[in-house]
Amino acid sequence: MTDTRRRVKVYTLNEDRQWDDRGTGHVSSGYVERLKGMSLLVRAESDGESGSLLLESKINPNTAYQKQQDTLIVWSEAENYDLALSFQEKAGCDEIWEKICQVQGKDPSVDITQELVDESEEERFDDMSSPGLELPPCELGHLEELAELVASSLPSPLRREKLALAVENEGYIRKLLELFRQCEDLENADGLHHLYEIVKGIFLLNRTALFEVMFSEECIMDVIGCLEHDPALGGLPRRHRDFLTKTARFKEVIPIGDPELRAKIHQTYRVQYIQDMVLPTPSVFEENMLSTLHSFIFFNKVEIVGMLQDDEKFLTDLFAQLTDEATDDDKRHELVNFLKEFCAFSQTLQPQNRDTFFKTLSNMGILPALEVILGMDDVQVRGAATDIFSYLVEYNPSMVREFIMQESQQNDDDILLINLIIEHMICDSDPELGGAVQLMGLLRTLVDPENMMATANKTEKTEFLSFFYKHCMHVLSAPLLANTTDDKPSKDDFQTSQLLALILELLTFCVEHHTYHIKNYIINKDILRRVLVLTASQHAFLALCALRFMRRIIGLKDEFYNRYIMKNFLFEPVVKAFLNNGARYNLMNSAIIEMFEYVRVDVKSLTAHIVENYWKALEDVDYVQTFKGLKLRYEQQRERQDNPKLDSMRSILRNHRFRRDARTLDDDEEMWFNADEDELEECEAVVPPSDNKTTKASDGENEDLMDPISKFMERKKLKDSDDKEVLGKSSSLSGRQSPSFKLSFSSSTTKTSLSSPPGSPGSGAKGSPPTAATVTTKVGLVDYPDDDEEDEEDVGGESKEETPPLSKKSKLSS
């Protein structure tokens, strides 16, 4: 179907009261068997005659259809589902409107086919029985009566509709504006106040036909004049017309040959001004009554963008003058501001239309033009160019990345577009660095792998990141490297610190998302050492940024990073910052302690490095257990390295569990056996020293730090004779009885203690050998294969059920 009269765009109104574009196609009407009635059908134009259906809507006899601006038909299909058809030509709109009116039995000359909201039956009967709303004569003496009539009609949708029809049919608006001019000449304040209420009420009638009259070239300034005389201002009118005619000036930077387009631009600017500045802030009730005004502005903007986009000569002239060296600065400033406003208008477009819009600008050479503009000295021009660049990056970062990589094949690094952006971020003269923050956000979007595409032939992530680290990273990190040549920042003023914080924020993002590329850069350029110089800054926010950067690196648990940190002793500035902070309880204190706590729990290699090199500086910190926990964790690791048998013991504890009843497990023991080695180490890290005198194998601090298994091994060596005596008693009961362990755990601490040998007081044997039916001997949990002489200590645990003891041989075979 190629008939342009039937070419339409389909819109739906979303929850934010904005129109969403559902596509472009061709509309027709016909009987649909499934819907049992005449229906409107819109097929997508890109799919030809048999294209997919964009819309299939039955023409319901009770649905209110509205015709707006000669090329729009709007209606609601459900309580919160509004639809609109925007026609390319008025003739097509009239044709479909006649079909709708024919189905509903309405006169095609009306602009609305039904009442919008149902009224109560009594009100409906009263209003329908009246022939129509009669307006008072449009004279100065009847303005108060007319103002009261308008105010009384607004709460009733049916009366609003009758009032709107009466105002429209009698040409009342132009008569009112004539009275307005008379009242101004006579300085009739009361009349002007009544006219304000009347005109404001006409806006709330929410009718397109009335807006088209009010916003016409000959009427709109008088309408604005009526709205200047708000009674609430106490007789002091606003000067909106003075602003529009004297202050606000329309600059035609590129001649617009189409008078219709020029008029549409003027109208849209003035209507937008009325909505934003002239009309009082609407109440919740009034907000819904201005939806047609919002739609009027929206469709005007769509039409303006479309008309400019289709004018190839206009856009060609625009970009030619932008990049022409002969163009003077004032002219270029105006051109850039126009392009910025043009891009801002495009934000009202839906994704499909916006895609076409930016593709058109790309084909016209907008990115090379921006590169030229950003190289200029004019701060205002560069600011406008940055705003335009942000529209492009937010819309399609891949398009920008592709251009950047292509130009790198022809230009030096210094004049690349992305390096110009980085330089403007670094050289931002704003004390608050507002522009630098905006540019940093754009750079972050460009280097974010999440929005990079991968195809069969190439991977955008690999190509662009390789390019970025080769051609751009040295520009980004230059201020950081220049400011960290000594043990403290060479420049520590507020603005420099803010800039370095922004750079660190971007580098931290790279650490989290780029892995390989940023790792090579950090290690080869010794970036982390330079960053940690900033922990000596007088600005806490910058020192915290440096700590955050290191914390992200440690959080990766990458041994390449860990070896780099240990080799260069990079915890030294962190420890210095911690000690210099003293006893102050602040963010610096908490951030450093959290870092050490993370290392204690998760990073073994760094734990050893910290204890071996910085323990003397940290050993007196006792208001948290982090540093003592680090030392304990370190000594546990050393003990396992020095005595491999400990690992064998742990393995047996986990894998060979001998129970009196294999079907039952105490909760505490089950938690022990199911825990992996790291969890056991964490548990042991918080074990307090035992108070049992029999467990003291050595004196001093080393004993307090030994874990329960270490204590057991030490006791075995020092109390050999006592053990033999215990084993002798055990043998009298059950022959070659294996040792027993008593392991009792609570939710907060872990305890290991010796039990009495069988037959001793408290053992449960009560001095007599047990029988098979009455066994009281505690059964061992583990045997040690290297214990040939049975030099073992009996450490037993309470149980719920008891079984006869097993021999060592039978246990090992199990």
Side-chain angles (χ1 to χ4, degrees), residues 230-455:
D230 185 351
L233 298 178
L236 297 175
R238 298 187 183 277
R239 300 297 180 187
H240 296 300
R241 287 172 294 174
D242 286 349
F243 173 80
L244 291 173
T245 56
K246 298 177 182 177
T247 305
R249 291 180 296 166
F250 176 67
K251 294 182 178 180
E252 202 168 340
V253 292
I254 300 291
I256 299 176
D258 188 349
E260 181 183 355
L261 173 58
R262 190 185 301 110
K264 187 71 68 175
I265 293 172
H266 283 301
Q267 183 189 61
T268 303
Y269 174 78
R270 291 167 179 171
V271 175
Q272 186 80 60
Y273 182 83
I274 290 173
Q275 177 183 261
D276 296 341
M277 303 299 298
V278 180
L279 286 176
T281 303
S283 64
V284 175
F285 169 71
E286 294 173 341
E287 179 70 32
N288 295 328
M289 298 167 67
L290 291 172
S291 59
T292 304
L293 180 61
H294 301 323
S295 299
F296 187 96
I297 296 171
F298 171 81
F299 287 112
N300 264 19
K301 289 182 177 180
V302 170
E303 194 171 349
I304 290 170
V305 172
M307 294 171 75
L308 286 173
Q309 186 176 321
D310 294 339
D311 191 341
E312 293 186 5
K313 183 180 183 305
F314 179 87
L315 292 178
T316 302
D317 291 346
L318 172 65
F319 286 104
Q321 292 190 37
L322 269 175
T323 55
D324 188 354
E325 295 182 358
T327 304
D328 61 70
D329 293 342
D330 292 339
K331 180 69 172 179
R332 183 174 282 107
H333 191 191
E334 293 174 354
L335 291 167
V336 172
N337 283 335
F338 170 80
L339 186 56
K340 174 185 171 182
E341 190 171 358
F342 191 32
C343 291
F345 262 46
S346 73
Q347 301 307 296
T348 63
L349 301 176
Q350 298 307 310
Q352 292 177 332
N353 293 9
R354 200 179 306 144
D355 183 66
T356 304
F357 173 80
F358 281 111
K359 281 183 179 177
T360 300
L361 293 185
S362 178
N363 294 335
M364 289 289 178
I366 188 170
L367 286 169
L370 287 178
E371 192 170 24
V372 173
I373 298 168
L374 287 169
M376 297 178 178
D377 296 331
D378 192 318
V379 176
Q380 291 183 331
V381 169
R382 290 206 313 261
T386 300
D387 291 336
I388 297 169
F389 184 69
S390 69
Y391 287 126
L392 295 170
V393 172
E394 290 169 8
Y395 161 70
N396 191 345
S398 292
M399 178 182 73
V400 178
R401 284 191 286 261
E402 183 178 2
F403 170 79
I404 290 171
M405 286 189 290
Q406 287 177 352
E407 69 162 350
S408 67
Q409 300 172 5
Q410 304 171 356
N411 298 332
D412 296 333
D413 288 356
D414 294 341
I415 61 174
L416 294 179
L417 175 59
I418 189 169
N419 284 342
L420 288 175
I421 296 295
I422 295 173
E423 288 173 8
H424 289 323
M425 182 186 83
I426 294 172
C427 300
D428 188 6
S429 58
D430 180 7
E432 298 298 327
L433 296 184
V437 172
Q438 180 187 14
L439 292 172
M440 193 277 291
L442 297 177
L443 289 171
R444 180 169 174 162
T445 301
L446 288 174
V447 300
D448 187 356
E450 295 297 324
N451 59 49
M452 295 183 184
M453 299 183 297
T455 63

Side-chain angles (χ1 to χ4, degrees), residues 622-639:
D622 56 4
Y623 57 88
V624 291
Q625 297 303 308
T626 297
F627 300 105
K628 285 182 169 48
L630 273 168
K631 182 69 178 298
L632 179 58
R633 184 66 174 268
Y634 168 73
E635 293 187 349
Q636 291 168 354
Q637 295 170 13
R638 290 292 301 272
E639 287 170 1

Side-chain angles (χ1 to χ4, degrees), residues 59-291:
I59 302 175
N60 194 311
N62 298 319
T63 297
Y65 291 85
Q66 295 183 66
K67 184 181 176 185
Q68 301 178 5
Q69 302 183 42
D70 292 332
T71 56
L72 281 174
I73 296 177
V74 182
W75 73 98
S76 298
E77 292 217 335
E79 183 176 352
N80 293 313
Y81 187 63
D82 293 351
L83 289 162
L85 294 180
S86 176
F87 289 78
Q88 180 171 327
E89 296 185 10
K90 179 179 181 297
C93 183
D94 293 340
E95 187 176 339
I96 295 300
W97 183 250
E98 289 178 5
K99 294 286 186 182
I100 295 172
C101 292
Q102 181 181 350
V103 172
Q104 294 196 341
K106 302 292 183 180
D107 184 349
S109 62
V110 301
D111 286 338
I112 185 169
T113 61
Q114 303 287 337
E115 302 302 339
L116 297 179
V117 180
D118 291 337
E119 298 292 312
S120 66
E121 291 299 323
E122 181 179 356
E123 184 179 357
R124 179 186 294 276
F125 177 79
D126 292 341
D127 285 337
M128 290 181 65
S129 62
S130 61
L133 197 62
E134 184 176 350
L135 297 175
C138 191
E139 299 173 356
L140 289 177
H142 294 279
L143 286 178
E144 183 176 2
E145 179 185 354
L146 180 58
E148 292 176 355
L149 176 63
V150 171
S152 64
S153 299
L154 289 177
S156 166
L158 203 59
R159 288 178 63 81
R160 278 205 310 272
E161 183 60 29
K162 290 183 178 292
L163 176 61
L165 287 172
V167 172
E168 180 184 350
N169 294 336
E170 298 181 22
Y172 218 77
I173 291 178
R174 286 183 170 82
K175 297 177 183 178
L176 287 172
L177 297 179
E178 181 62 35
L179 285 181
F180 164 72
R181 289 189 286 270
Q182 293 180 24
C183 288
E184 273 206 320
D185 291 340
L186 298 173
E187 298 184 356
N188 185 341
D190 290 339
L192 292 172
H193 291 164
H194 291 318
L195 283 166
Y196 170 87
E197 299 292 349
I198 293 168
V199 172
K200 176 188 170 185
I202 292 175
F203 269 94
L204 298 178
L205 293 178
N206 208 29
R207 191 172 180 84
T208 303
L210 299 179
F211 287 158
E212 289 176 352
V213 176
M214 296 167 73
F215 300 152
S216 63
E217 182 67 26
E218 62 271 18
C219 295
I220 190 168
M221 296 307 291
D222 287 335
V223 169
I224 294 172
C226 291
L227 295 173
E228 290 178 348
H229 297 276
D230 185 351
L233 298 178
L236 297 175
R238 298 187 183 277
R239 300 297 180 187
H240 296 300
R241 287 172 294 174
D242 286 349
F243 173 80
L244 291 173
T245 56
K246 298 177 182 177
T247 305
R249 291 180 296 166
F250 176 67
K251 294 182 178 180
E252 202 168 340
V253 292
I254 300 291
I256 299 176
D258 188 349
E260 181 183 355
L261 173 58
R262 190 185 301 110
K264 187 71 68 175
I265 293 172
H266 283 301
Q267 183 189 61
T268 303
Y269 174 78
R270 291 167 179 171
V271 175
Q272 186 80 60
Y273 182 83
I274 290 173
Q275 177 183 261
D276 296 341
M277 303 299 298
V278 180
L279 286 176
T281 303
S283 64
V284 175
F285 169 71
E286 294 173 341
E287 179 70 32
N288 295 328
M289 298 167 67
L290 291 172
S291 59

Side-chain angles (χ1 to χ4, degrees), residues 658-771:
F658 301 103
R659 306 282 304 180
R660 286 171 293 279
D661 186 346
R663 295 170 299 173
T664 61
L665 283 175
D666 292 343
D667 291 341
D668 292 337
E669 291 182 282
E670 183 174 14
M671 182 173 66
W672 168 267
F673 288 124
N674 289 337
D676 60 25
E677 184 173 350
D678 286 340
E679 290 172 337
L680 290 174
E681 291 167 359
E682 290 181 35
C683 186
E684 293 161 4
V686 294
V687 176
S690 173
D691 293 332
N692 192 332
K693 294 181 180 180
T694 62
T695 64
K696 295 184 178 178
S698 62
D699 55 5
E701 182 179 349
N702 289 338
E703 179 187 356
D704 294 335
L705 297 176
M706 292 174 66
D707 67 7
I709 297 177
S710 303
K711 293 178 182 180
F712 169 70
M713 296 296 293
E714 189 68 22
R715 288 197 302 271
K716 185 163 73 77
K717 295 177 182 178
L718 298 178
K719 299 183 178 180
D720 184 68
S721 60
D722 292 341
D723 290 344
K724 289 182 179 180
E725 181 181 350
V726 171
L727 287 171
K729 294 180 181 180
S730 177
S731 299
S732 68
L733 295 175
S734 55
R736 294 178 62 83
Q737 173 66 33
S738 65
S740 301
F741 292 91
K742 179 178 180 180
L743 302 174
S744 61
F745 294 90
S746 69
S747 59
S748 60
T749 60
T750 306
K751 299 179 180 178
T752 305
S753 62
L754 285 169
S755 71
S756 301
S760 65
S763 68
K766 298 183 180 180
S768 59
T771 65

